[in-house]
Amino acid sequence: MNKATPFYKILIANRGEIALRVIRSAHALGYRTVAVYSTADAQAAHVFAAHEAVCIGEPLPAQSYLNTAAILEAARLTGADAVHPGYGFLAENEDFAQACRDAGLVFIGPSPQAIRAMGDKAGAKRLMIAAGVPCIPGYQGEDQSAQHLAAQANEIGYPVMIKATAGGGGRGMRLVRQAAEFADLLRSAQSEALNAFGDATVILERAIEEPRHIEIQIFADRHGHAIHLGERDCSVQRRHQKVIEEAPSPAVDAVLRERMGATAVAAVKAIDYEGAGTLEFLLDREGHFYFMEMNTRLQVEHPVTEAITGLDLVAWQLRVAAGEPLPLTQADICYAGHAIEVRLCAEDVPAGFMPQSGTLLQWQVPAGVRVEHALSDGAIIPPYYDSMVAKIIAHGSNRENALRQLQSALHDLVALGVKTNQSFLQRSLAHPVFVAGQATTAFIAQNEEDLLHESTDTQALAVAAWLLLQSAAVQPQREASRLAHALPLGLQLSVNGQSLKATVTQTGPQQFTVHLAEQTHALVSVAQTEKSARVIVDQVMQQVQWVRDVHSLSMHFAGHPYQVQDLTRAVGAKPGEQGGDGRVRASMNGRVVAVLVVVGERVQAQQALITLEAMKMEHVHAAPVAGTVIAVHVTTGDQVPASRVVVEILSDEIPANSLMANALAANSAPTKEA
């Protein structure tokens, strides 16, 4: 079908920053737009950016953003005649694409047949092998029994990758290094895949050690034209999810770019593809590349390609969907400079990149770079969706220039109230391996000591102690009265989870000394508002952004965020803290997807007890001690808040007939705990 299919009003079947991104290009081209939202997103930015908006259900994705019937009804109510799926959710769902077409709507993306062909990793791999595209050796057969898969893994040879055929974003993917691990990791991958995609089918592939992750952006129209827009290097990943992306790749020269680009174009022509798509490859040390998968949609990291080509890829999607031919030929594509993107995620990095949710108390974007986000002061980051909350993209004349701009931007970015990976990103960008352009997919694992463990400067700790006292005026009068004290004031603090003692002494008007960690720092308060302060620390004037809520104080100092709690009077249980009392607490807001033990069961230390799902990832909670399960306070499907006790274990170290054991047993009823 080559005829034009005009449309006038676009429903964006997505949320957050990607919905805003689509709305921006759609409005620039004169289209009317419709947003959809869950009840958790009623006040979200994308809801107010569109011309119209329709609530499509409850917070869980299955009840809203994955609800095809509700989305189609929203299109009917508003008179929308086209649907843009964004990325994630239903973007690569052939049934959704077909349902849109059956309802008379233009689906802004490839055909259902193309999505089906490339969305199933096993089928896609067979197609690519037939098309002559180099592929990783593996197994993509129909026999999914654990015994057969284990035998195939042995034949392939370890290490082996398990991949969900319907997967994406690292979900349903596990690296198996030895045969003894295979059964447990297979179960975990299949469980995650079933919960995320409704399909537990997996393929197996030989794991290529320390490759580069290179992807080729392609575009095709319905007139038989297809081109590529160069490559992106997405090698820096955690949990098989991309964290930093750049274009062009430091590992790809013009000759290799042409080879990989030509391979990608031939592949999409073989399946009569239309629209934007990305072919992902692994590049080994010898320069050989292997097809991994194709994403039949716009990618999260598309801005780096836009930066170096000067093109609007969303606008191209809309034009192609309307039946227009590609506006440029391969010979017209030019590349200028270098672009790097980082994904800002709401997560606790030291706790294993644990997803976080809550209220963003203060948000300030840096100047001079592109920031894709849907955030503001007071924005709610819900626990139901992906943990990525923003993207920061820098474009420079060369890689060194782009990197310098991005490092400066991350220094100035202010995100307070919810833990993010901001400091982790700064450490990654500054690491010598990344600076040299040598990062592979093993970058984070090989440099954990440098990247994952936060070190806090004592100046920042001193400012935190001083600011905590300065902000006490918003607390009850008995707290504020401490400010008038001229004697040294002792504080027990927790700063980013690090406990420390500090002594603050007022030495004159707006002058203080803070002693901690065997260091003494002199502070002079220059100016202070409800959200910021200027303070001279050891003779250097610096800016500090800060905000205080009921439980803690958050501040941004010297380019890094800090969460500060005053533990001087009492220490409460922290989310995820699994103490020697045998009480296992939820490490984040999440939904219980598996309860693996029952009351009375004997468990070993580190044995899996329950699995929580938060922000599209599964998190196993293990036994802190060996003992007997005396209470299970949740059932599958429960939504639980952080810190809630979910399982209680009577430790083997406590004698069964002791007073403590009897008290624990008496106080533990098999009912849900509030």
Side-chain angles (χ1 to χ4, degrees):
M1 180 180 70
N2 293 328
K3 65 179 182 179
T5 50
F7 50 90
Y8 305 94
K9 183 183 287 189
I10 304 169
L11 182 146
I12 297 97
N14 219 293
R15 63 181 297 278
E17 58 90 14
I18 182 54
L20 289 176
R21 171 68 190 90
V22 175
I23 288 170
R24 187 167 71 244
S25 289
H27 287 181
L29 291 175
Y31 289 104
R32 304 292 289 180
T33 56
V34 177
V36 293
Y37 63 95
S38 72
T39 53
D41 278 339
Q43 300 300 313
H46 74 280
V47 174
F48 299 99
H51 295 112
E52 299 170 87
V54 178
C55 182
I56 54 172
E58 297 301 311
L60 289 177
Q63 301 168 333
S64 50
Y65 296 107
L66 293 175
N67 188 335
T68 296
I71 292 170
L72 295 181
E73 176 62 12
R76 188 194 67 79
L77 285 172
T78 57
D81 48 4
V83 173
H84 193 301
Y87 47 71
F89 294 126
L90 295 170
E92 295 179 280
N93 186 308
E94 68 271 18
D95 293 334
F96 178 67
Q98 186 63 54
C100 289
R101 293 191 172 195
D102 292 345
L105 302 170
V106 174
F107 180 77
I108 301 173
S111 68
Q113 294 76 20
I115 297 175
R116 182 177 299 111
M118 301 308 291
D120 182 290
K121 285 185 173 62
K125 192 170 179 180
R126 288 190 289 266
L127 278 174
M128 293 299 99
I129 291 172
V133 176
C135 294
I136 304 169
Y139 170 77
Q140 49 274 346
E142 295 183 1
D143 190 337
Q144 293 287 300
S145 66
Q147 296 83 355
H148 185 73
L149 290 172
Q152 290 297 317
N154 288 331
E155 185 173 329
I156 294 167
Y158 290 95
V160 166
M161 289 296 304
I162 302 173
K163 292 183 177 181
T165 61
R171 292 175 295 281
M173 185 182 296
R174 298 293 186 272
L175 172 62
V176 188
R177 294 199 170 276
Q178 53 190 2
E181 302 174 333
F182 186 83
D184 286 343
L185 291 175
L186 174 65
R187 184 211 62 78
S188 177
Q190 290 175 326
S191 172
E192 189 169 85
L194 186 62
N195 282 300
F197 313 110
D199 185 354
T201 308
V202 299
I203 65 172
L204 306 178
E205 290 180 344
R206 179 185 299 159
I208 298 176
E209 300 281 17
E210 300 181 28
R212 295 270 194 164
H213 184 132
I214 307 295
E215 61 187 29
I216 304 292
Q217 174 72 61
I218 63 91
F219 248 96
D221 62 25
R222 66 184 62 170
H223 305 279
H225 307 129
I227 63 173
H228 73 86
L229 303 179
E231 85 284 355
R232 296 183 289 256
D233 193 317
C234 308
S235 299
V236 180
Q237 304 176 7
R238 53 98 175 98
R239 289 178 174 162
H240 306 293
Q241 291 184 308
K242 302 163 189 173
V243 179
I244 304 175
E245 301 102 347
E246 59 182 312
S249 167
V252 176
D253 59 20
V255 174
L256 181 57
R257 178 176 303 116
E258 183 55 35
R259 285 176 53 215
M260 297 184 74
T263 298
V265 169
V268 298
K269 282 187 172 180
I271 59 170
D272 197 23
Y273 194 80
E274 177 185 325
T278 304
L279 276 84
E280 305 204 359
F281 298 92
L282 292 181
L283 178 66
D284 69 17
R285 297 166 182 163
E286 288 73 41
H288 303 121
F289 60 91
Y290 303 93
F291 172 80
M292 280 201 307
E293 63 185 12
M294 181 179 183
N295 290 311
T296 54
R297 55 171 168 80
L298 195 68
Q299 292 280 87
V300 174
E301 58 273 17
H302 76 275
V304 295
T305 297
E306 292 186 324
I308 66 169
T309 61
L311 304 174
D312 183 334
L313 300 194
V314 175
W316 273 38
Q317 283 188 300
L318 303 183
R319 290 188 167 115
V320 167
E324 297 181 26
L326 293 177
L328 299 175
T329 67
Q330 191 67 62
D332 297 323
I333 303 301
C334 299
Y335 308 106
H338 198 98
I340 310 176
E341 170 184 297
V342 293
R343 302 188 186 192
L344 186 75
C345 298
E347 58 191 16
D348 186 343
V349 173
F353 298 98
M354 193 71 72
Q356 303 291 295
S357 57
T359 302
L360 191 64
L361 301 176
Q362 192 169 349
W363 172 250
Q364 180 177 304
V365 299
V369 294
R370 175 175 171 177
V371 183
E372 299 281 356
H373 70 97
L375 303 172
S376 61
D377 290 1
I380 303 297
I381 298 176
Y384 312 103
Y385 315 118
D386 195 273
S387 64
M388 191 192 77
V389 295
K391 303 179 302 195
I392 304 95
I393 306 99
H395 180 224
S397 57
N398 53 43
R399 189 173 188 270
E400 181 182 2
N401 181 271
L403 182 56
R404 183 172 61 250
Q405 289 187 54
L406 190 53
Q407 289 171 327
S408 179
L410 276 173
H411 187 281
D412 293 339
L413 177 79
V414 178
L416 299 178
V418 177
K419 290 182 180 180
T420 73
N421 65 341
Q422 180 179 0
S423 293
F424 164 77
L425 293 173
Q426 290 174 284
R427 292 191 294 272
S428 297
L429 293 178
H431 195 280
V433 172
F434 185 83
V435 171
Q438 297 175 350
T440 69
T441 56
F443 172 69
I444 294 177
Q446 290 177 344
N447 299 284
E448 285 187 354
E449 189 65 31
D450 297 329
L451 301 178
L452 304 189
H453 303 294
E454 299 186 5
S455 59
T456 305
D457 191 287
T458 58
Q459 282 194 343
L461 300 177
V463 171
W466 165 77
L467 197 57
L468 190 66
L469 287 177
Q470 289 289 298
S471 66
V474 301
Q475 299 298 303
Q477 187 60 40
R478 61 183 176 81
E479 283 286 315
S481 65
R482 300 167 70 192
L483 287 171
H485 226 296
L487 297 176
L489 295 172
L491 295 173
Q492 180 71 39
L493 301 179
S494 172
V495 181
N496 285 356
Q498 176 183 349
S499 296
L500 70 148
K501 293 181 179 180
T503 302
V504 182
T505 306
Q506 185 164 358
T507 57
Q510 302 302 314
Q511 298 181 25
F512 306 84
T513 61
V514 182
H515 182 78
L516 46 76
E518 300 182 355
Q519 300 285 330
T520 299
H521 299 281
L523 280 70
V524 179
S525 176
V526 178
Q528 185 175 341
T529 69
E530 290 185 357
K531 288 190 174 183
S532 67
R534 282 201 171 272
V535 56
I536 298 173
V537 186
D538 299 334
Q539 303 181 53
V540 178
M541 185 181 295
Q542 301 202 53
Q543 178 87 7
V544 55
Q545 306 288 114
W546 68 278
V547 63
R548 184 165 187 169
D549 62 11
V550 176
H551 305 291
S552 63
L553 179 144
S554 299
M555 75 171 194
H556 180 91
F557 177 77
H560 296 277
Y562 298 91
Q563 286 194 330
V564 188
Q565 290 181 301
D566 186 353
L567 306 180
T568 307
R569 286 181 168 80
V571 180
K574 301 182 184 69
E577 184 176 75
Q578 321 297 1
D581 61 0
R583 293 186 174 185
V584 180
R585 296 177 173 87
S587 55
M588 83 294 280
N589 295 341
R591 184 170 64 94
V592 180
V593 296
V595 177
L596 307 173
V597 293
V598 296
V599 173
E601 183 176 342
R602 292 266 307 121
V603 295
Q604 300 300 315
Q606 300 308 309
Q607 180 176 331
L609 304 175
I610 70 163
T611 302
L612 289 185
E613 182 186 57
M615 293 180 168
K616 299 160 68 174
M617 294 295 290
E618 288 192 355
H619 304 274
V620 176
H621 289 51
V625 295
T628 302
V629 176
I630 57 174
V632 177
H633 297 294
V634 294
T635 59
T636 301
D638 286 354
Q639 190 73 33
V640 297
S643 296
R644 173 174 167 179
V645 177
V646 291
V647 176
E648 294 184 64
I649 299 169
L650 178 61
S651 172
D652 287 343
E653 297 180 4
I654 302 176
N657 60 352
S658 70
L659 292 175
M660 182 182 294
N662 292 334
L664 283 171
N667 291 327
S668 300
T671 58
K672 295 182 183 179
E673 177 179 321

